[in-house]
Amino acid sequence: MNTIQHQAYNSNGLTLVLGGTGKTGRRIVTALEAKGIPTRIGSRSATPAFDWHHETSWDACLKNVAAVYINYAPDLAMPGATDAIQAFVDRAKGHGVKRLVLLSGRGEIEAQACEQIVQKSGLDWTIIRASWFNQNFSEGAFLEMVTAGQITLPAGDISEPFVDVDDIAEVAVAALTEPGHAGEVYEVTGPRLMTFADIAAELSNASGCEITYVPVPHDAFVAGIKESGAPKEVVWMLDYLFNTVLDGRNAYLTDGIQRALGRSPKDFADYASEVAATGLWQPVTL
């Protein structure tokens, strides 16, 4: 679809990207702007500012908005997320928003409760239900472990079909700007199942550095996260993900990216090669 068609399809207002400075959000903003689509970033650092904990900040962000990408931080499984999503959806309807695209998580009962709120909103909606991100190893919580040469996590030998954030963003942009995606739940995964030992091997191969996976007991892992000074919501989320979600329930592939984009998802090896070329994973020498 060309830029003129995009503009005509979304001509009734702005597209608001919540979490617009995060992993998925900033990619979505860049792609929308490249297509000439009027876009507003929803974050605490933007103007107007958006804060999930202050509903009074939402009205200015929703003014003249036709479509919203919803990325709830830090995770839809967090206590209070359903109340926040319900309040936001209600306020969005009041502002005349027509379309909602929600980033959700695979295997999370709490996240699916938030999905149902969006699905029952009476607005056009699309759900992107994602597996764990490739970019957790380059832009997220596991980066320091990679550069230290040891991925120490309580994951055992559970497999996960890690998905690339670039793919997620492309699906979101399509759902926000093109017809044919309303009412769809796109469960998105990468093209293969991988254990964390597999991940370490791929990262070693791509970076030329020795990176190993070291399984640790769950309680010891959580205690270490707390001792590191991580915010309590981050501690809660990691505890939840490794204790609840990473139990094998998501150890299968889906066709969400193929259905949404008409192509296969990016493989982890391709992601690793691209990041390794930047030098990000090279050990720091003093």
Side-chain angles (χ1 to χ4, degrees):
M1 183 181 289
N2 62 35
T3 300
I4 294 175
Q5 289 174 311
H6 277 297
Q7 290 174 337
Y9 191 68
N10 230 18
S11 61
N12 294 326
L14 296 164
T15 296
L16 172 63
V17 180
L18 300 184
T21 57
K23 291 186 190 73
T24 60
R26 70 174 181 271
R27 289 169 167 85
I28 293 167
V29 168
T30 298
L32 291 174
E33 291 178 342
K35 294 178 183 296
I37 296 172
T39 304
R40 176 176 292 153
I41 295 174
S43 77
R44 285 178 291 185
S45 60
T47 303
F50 181 92
D51 189 332
W52 278 110
H53 300 292
H54 295 91
E55 290 188 30
T56 54
S57 72
W58 300 354
D59 291 311
C61 294
L62 285 166
K63 186 176 180 181
N64 299 322
V65 166
V68 184
Y69 172 73
I70 304 175
N71 182 3
Y72 182 82
D75 195 276
L76 287 177
M78 288 286 293
T82 51
D83 291 340
I85 294 298
Q86 184 67 70
F88 179 82
V89 168
D90 290 343
R91 195 162 298 215
K93 289 181 67 175
H95 279 270
V97 170
K98 304 300 183 186
R99 172 179 305 210
L100 302 173
V101 176
L102 176 71
L103 179 64
S104 185
R106 294 182 79 214
E108 299 180 13
I109 295 173
E110 299 86 348
Q112 290 173 20
C114 294
E115 293 177 14
Q116 291 173 14
I117 292 169
V118 171
Q119 291 168 328
K120 296 176 181 178
S121 66
L123 306 178
D124 284 350
W125 58 265
T126 306
I127 306 297
I128 304 174
R129 190 184 292 160
S131 55
W132 290 39
F133 299 167
N134 293 347
Q135 278 73 9
N136 287 336
F137 300 95
S138 55
E139 302 175 25
F142 308 147
L143 173 58
E144 290 186 8
M145 296 182 187
V146 176
T147 56
Q150 284 193 338
I151 302 173
T152 52
L153 294 170
D157 59 357
I158 297 296
S159 295
E160 172 74 13
F162 290 83
V163 67
D164 198 272
V165 170
D166 289 344
D167 286 346
I168 296 172
E170 190 172 338
V171 173
V173 170
L176 288 165
T177 63
E178 299 173 4
H181 301 285
E184 294 285 352
V185 176
Y186 292 125
E187 192 162 338
V188 295
T189 69
R192 58 177 165 141
L193 292 171
M194 302 181 71
T195 66
F196 278 84
D198 295 331
I199 293 288
E202 289 283 6
L203 295 176
S204 298
N205 181 61
S207 67
C209 303
E210 183 179 0
I211 300 166
T212 59
Y213 167 59
V214 180
V216 296
H218 180 83
D219 291 346
F221 169 73
V222 173
I225 295 296
K226 290 179 179 178
E227 291 171 5
S228 73
K232 62 181 182 180
E233 61 269 20
V234 173
V235 175
W236 185 96
M237 181 180 66
L238 291 172
D239 183 9
Y240 169 82
L241 290 175
F242 281 102
N243 195 41
T244 304
V245 178
L246 196 70
D247 62 356
R249 70 182 65 185
N250 292 327
Y252 61 94
L253 306 180
T254 64
D255 64 351
I257 291 171
Q258 182 68 45
R259 288 197 299 115
L261 303 177
R263 63 165 177 82
S264 299
K266 181 189 290 187
D267 188 75
F268 189 90
D270 295 325
Y271 151 78
S273 295
E274 291 172 5
V275 176
T278 70
L280 177 68
W281 290 325
Q282 295 302 310
V284 177
T285 56
L286 300 177

